[in-house]
């Protein structure tokens, strides 16, 4: 195990599974990631190995075939995966959020029908809130579900930035149903939409166009979802009651923010490892550049940022596992970890000099992946808004 980002107080099982994931990353992910990255190919072979390891069911209760582990265990595994290649952790991210929402808010029938298949990875989840004309303003969602006489809903509209949109088989989508509530947030409903993998009109009324080209985060598909007369049954409403979707989704986003902070920790850790190794190999003026104070001080700064981000991420996960409210802790962890990840990656890039700009060196990929973490599951500005509102309430004079 690396000397940085250690976590005290883990059980033997937690230590064992994290070590297993780290070994998988070292032997399978890091060597194969460059080719998947260059070709922007979905890493099906790696996903199959993750299924065999039980990672898709890590937080799903044992009664549904999962491992029933804590959020802490999950995010420590995600940190290891992101250290190898952020896209691999992204395969799990939306799946984990949907499984968590089902566990917390699903009906018994929905849990029985979906969670056992999600635990094995047979069903893989995706998560959809954003639309082309809105980002953080969730209450302004326009995709609309109109209730029919038989209790079903006809859905029309367009969703955007659906991670795993083509490779998933279950999408939790937030839709406006306008059930008459006086609050816009209470007019939003989460629908569980089952579909086959692939692109095009995957089921009647639901179109998944091709992948959206991105700066980084390659190998994982990000898509739109276009609803044109798609019919969803009343049994497809998460929890069975319309109008609860906003609160269900925000609960999922809260754990998702801890997840994103873990991915930022993993990317930052890898950037540090690459820098500290290169700085001892590269020589200028007759000695390794690590012995020049300018570089040595950067290494100290990077290590401190990696450690601080890791500790905040672990604290946020443990708070959630304890049942305590963790919106501020999750927001702080996501904000700090994503910002520090960007800074550490840039420092590592500078230490690599001209080689950092070459696609032959791993740091080039990290430079393209890190910016996504600044906006995923809410921008830094959104985190600051959440944090400040809660603090002003707690410290009101």
């Amino acid at each position: 195990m690396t000397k940085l980002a250690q976590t005290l107080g883990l059980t033997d099982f937690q230590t064992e599974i994290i070590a297993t994931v780290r070994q998988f990353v070292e032997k399978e992910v890091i060597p194969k990631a460059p080719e998947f990255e260059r070709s922007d190919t979905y890493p099906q072979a790696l996903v199959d190995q993750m299924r065999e390891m039980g990672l898709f069911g890590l937080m799903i209760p044992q009664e549904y075939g999962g491992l029933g582990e804590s959020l802490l265990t999950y995010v420590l595994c995600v940190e290891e995966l992101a250290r190898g290649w952020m896209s691999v952790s992204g395969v799990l991210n939306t799946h984990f959020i949907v499984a968590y929402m089902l566990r917390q808010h699903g009906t018994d029938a929905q849990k029985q029908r979906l969670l056992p298949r999600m635990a094995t990875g047979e069903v893989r989840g995706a998560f959809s809130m954003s639309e082309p004309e809105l980002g953080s303003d969730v209450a302004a969602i326009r995709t609309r579900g109109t209730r029919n006489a038989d209790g079903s809903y006809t859905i029309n509209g367009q969703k955007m930035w659906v991670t795993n949109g083509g490779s998933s088989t279950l999408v939790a989508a937030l839709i406006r149903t306008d059930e008459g509530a006086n609050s816009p947030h209470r007019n939003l409903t989460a629908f569980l939409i089952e579909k086959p993998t692939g692109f095009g009109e995957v089921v009647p009324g639901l179109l998944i166009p091709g992948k959206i080209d991105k700066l980084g985060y390659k190998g994982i598909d990000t898509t739109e979802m276009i609803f044109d007369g798609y019919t969803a049954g009343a049994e497809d409403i998460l929890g069975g009651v319309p109008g609860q979707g906003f609160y269900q989704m925000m609960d999922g986003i809260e754990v998702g923010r801890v997840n994103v902070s873990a991915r930022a920790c993993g990317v930052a850790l890898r950037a540090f490892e690459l820098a500290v190794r290169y700085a001892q190999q590269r020589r200028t003026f007759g000695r390794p550049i690590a012995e020049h104070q300018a570089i040595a001080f950067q290494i100290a700064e990077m290590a401190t940022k990696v450690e601080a981000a890791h500790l905040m991420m672990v604290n946020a996960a443990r708070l959630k596992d304890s049942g305590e409210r963790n919106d501020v802790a999750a927001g702080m962890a996501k904000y700090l970890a994503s910002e520090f990840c960007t800074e550490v990656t840039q420092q590592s890039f500078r230490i690599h000099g001209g080689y950092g700009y070459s696609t032959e060196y791993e740091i080039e990929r990290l430079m393209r992946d890190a910016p996504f973490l600044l906006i995923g599951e809410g921008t830094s500005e959104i985190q600051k808004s959440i944090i400040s509102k809660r603090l002003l309430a707690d410290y009101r004079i």
Side-chain angles (χ1 to χ4, degrees):
M1 297 292 286
T2 180
K3 293 179 174 60
L4 281 181
Q6 295 294 294
T7 310
L8 299 178
L10 298 180
T11 65
D12 290 342
F13 179 77
Q14 287 175 316
T15 301
E16 180 182 352
I17 193 168
I18 293 163
T20 300
V21 173
R22 188 175 183 87
Q23 185 178 35
F24 166 67
V25 166
E26 290 288 343
K27 291 186 175 181
E28 302 292 338
V29 178
I30 291 176
K32 296 175 181 177
E35 182 54 38
F36 285 123
E37 165 79 15
R38 277 191 291 270
S39 60
D40 196 10
T41 303
Y42 187 76
Q44 187 61 56
L46 297 178
V47 172
D48 290 342
Q49 289 176 276
M50 289 160 61
R51 286 182 63 179
E52 292 174 10
M53 293 165 67
L55 295 183
F56 284 91
L58 199 55
M59 277 189 69
I60 293 175
Q62 292 181 354
E63 63 185 289
Y64 299 109
L67 296 177
E69 268 297 316
S70 63
L71 177 60
L72 177 63
T73 307
Y74 177 82
V75 295
L76 291 176
C77 289
V78 166
E79 183 181 38
E80 296 291 346
L81 290 170
R83 174 184 163 270
W85 184 27
M86 194 177 76
S87 294
V88 174
S89 65
V91 172
L92 283 181
N93 179 40
T94 57
H95 177 88
F96 148 74
I97 293 175
V98 176
Y100 172 82
M101 289 168 57
L102 266 167
R103 190 189 79 181
Q104 296 298 109
H105 306 289
T107 65
D108 288 340
Q110 288 168 345
K111 293 176 185 178
Q112 293 287 348
R113 178 166 58 89
L114 295 169
L115 286 180
R117 292 186 291 150
M118 294 189 79
T120 63
E122 176 191 348
V123 168
R124 295 202 295 275
F127 177 85
S128 176
M129 286 199 306
S130 293
E131 296 184 0
E133 296 182 15
L134 67 92
S136 302
D137 187 8
V138 178
I141 279 176
R142 295 181 178 181
T143 300
R144 189 175 301 274
T146 303
R147 194 172 186 272
N148 301 315
D150 62 357
S152 67
Y153 289 78
T154 299
I155 301 176
N156 291 284
Q158 184 178 5
K159 309 298 282 186
M160 192 71 174
W161 309 119
V162 186
T163 302
N164 296 310
S167 55
S168 62
T169 55
L170 173 68
V171 182
L174 192 59
I175 308 295
R176 177 174 298 282
T177 50
D178 289 335
E179 299 289 340
N182 54 14
S183 165
H185 297 95
R186 294 191 178 276
N187 284 313
L188 299 174
T189 299
F191 283 89
L192 299 170
I193 297 168
E194 291 192 76
K195 66 175 188 64
T197 60
F199 301 98
E201 189 173 16
V202 290
V203 292
L206 177 59
L207 175 69
I208 309 291
K211 296 189 297 184
I212 298 170
D213 290 331
K214 308 183 297 291
L215 170 70
Y217 206 21
K218 301 289 187 177
I220 187 168
D221 53 278
T222 304
T223 74
E224 300 172 74
M225 287 180 62
I226 299 173
F227 296 93
D228 185 10
Y230 175 82
T231 301
E235 68 278 6
D236 297 326
I237 295 173
L238 178 61
V241 179
Q244 302 299 308
F246 176 79
Y247 306 99
Q248 295 164 344
M249 288 275 187
M250 289 304 105
D251 189 22
I253 282 288
E254 193 170 284
V255 292
R257 284 174 178 150
V258 185
N259 180 302
V260 171
S261 69
R263 295 161 75 184
C265 287
V267 172
L269 178 57
R270 185 60 178 167
F272 169 80
E273 291 172 344
L274 295 172
V276 77
R277 182 175 65 191
Y278 182 80
Q280 295 174 79
Q281 296 171 336
R282 171 70 166 159
R283 299 177 68 88
T284 62
F285 305 103
R287 55 178 175 165
I289 62 173
E291 295 180 14
H292 297 296
Q293 190 178 73
I295 302 300
F297 280 11
Q298 285 196 63
I299 290 171
E301 291 172 7
M302 294 164 71
T304 303
K305 290 172 182 176
V306 168
E307 189 72 8
H310 175 83
L311 290 171
M312 289 199 72
M313 179 269 291
V314 167
N315 178 62
R318 281 183 161 149
L319 267 177
K320 189 69 173 180
D321 285 332
S322 72
E324 295 290 329
R325 184 174 179 178
N326 88 326
D327 55 339
V328 170
M332 286 181 170
K334 194 275 173 183
Y335 163 57
L336 188 84
S338 61
E339 294 287 350
F340 276 2
C341 174
T342 301
E343 293 172 13
V344 168
T345 304
Q346 289 179 344
Q347 286 178 288
S348 180
F349 170 77
R350 293 183 181 201
I351 287 173
H352 280 79
Y355 288 105
Y357 207 62
S358 168
T359 57
E360 294 183 16
Y361 280 68
E362 193 176 340
I363 187 61
E364 182 268 345
R365 166 164 56 84
L366 301 185
M367 279 290 291
R368 289 184 290 102
D369 282 346
F372 169 77
L373 298 165
L374 295 171
I375 56 176
E377 315 299 24
T379 63
S380 291
E381 289 69 33
I382 286 294
Q383 309 312 317
K384 291 176 189 178
S385 177
I386 293 168
I387 295 163
S388 62
K389 285 179 182 177
R390 177 72 185 280
L391 291 175
L392 288 168
D394 288 345
Y395 286 87
R396 189 171 303 283
I397 57 175

